[in-house]
Structures are given as structure tokens and as C-alpha cells.
Amino acid sequence: QVQLVESGGGLVQSGGSLRLSCVASELAFDYYAMGWFRQAPGKERERVSCISSLDGTAYYTDSVKGRFTISRDNAKSTVYLQMNSLKPEDTALYYCAPVGYCTFETMQGIAGFDSWGQGTQVTVSS
């Protein structure tokens, strides 16, 4: 079964930075595009960013463009999310997952995927 372990979250002041990491196991990592999602209290899970498996094409939701950067290290089965200029509205539990579709315009999760990790909490104070 796929295992995903997210880390790197924390409490940071507005304008600060964090770097999230996600290590995947039992997954053909090289094959899959990988994505970051987040869920704030009382809200639905939101697609944040993804990176393709082949050429590094990346997608960012509008609210994080220019502030977040996604990257991956296939040798380590790890995907990263560098988050700069953080805002209070970025506060959420962040998850990674393989995605079924990732272009610079959009990302789409895998229907029925249920091997979510525990997530890593990001809290941005104003």
C-alpha cells in the first residue's frame, strides 16, 4: 500500500517561509505526477500545486502563484513545496499525493485515491 509521509510544517509569521517534504514509498514514484493539496478547517480539500513526472511541468493554483515552488527528487521518492511570502490564508493541513493529470493549466487527482498521509500543519500568524 502506498505510504506518504509529509513533514516541514510549522508556525510562521506572515511573510515567512517553509519548505514541505513528502516521502513516498510503495509507489512507482518516477511514473506519477505528484501534487500538494491543503485543507483548512471547515473547508474542502484544495488543489495547490503539482509537478509532472517527465519534464517537470508544474501547476499552481492562482492564490499561490509566484510564492510557492514545487520540485521533486525521483532518486529520493520525495516531492517538495517551497512556500515563501506566506499569508494567514495559507493556514491549512497540507497533504501530498500522486495525481492523474498535471499540466501548467490544471491538475486532477486520482479518483478513489485513499492512501492519504497524516499531512503536515502549516499555521501562518498575522
Side-chain angles (χ1 to χ4, degrees), residues 76-92:
K76 296 181 179 180
S77 297
T78 301
V79 61
Y80 304 97
L81 187 67
Q82 177 67 44
M83 305 187 297
N84 298 329
S85 302
L86 283 161
K87 303 176 180 181
E89 50 263 44
D90 295 317
T91 295

Side-chain angles (χ1 to χ4, degrees), residues 34 48-53 55-61 65 68-71 102-107:
M34 293 296 296
V48 176
S49 178
C50 66
I51 184 166
S52 70
S53 60
D55 60 4
T57 297
Y59 162 84
Y60 300 94
T61 193
K65 283 180 181 176
F68 290 11
T69 303
I70 191 170
S71 61
C102 179
T103 72
F104 77 94
E105 291 180 318
T106 190
M107 65 183 281

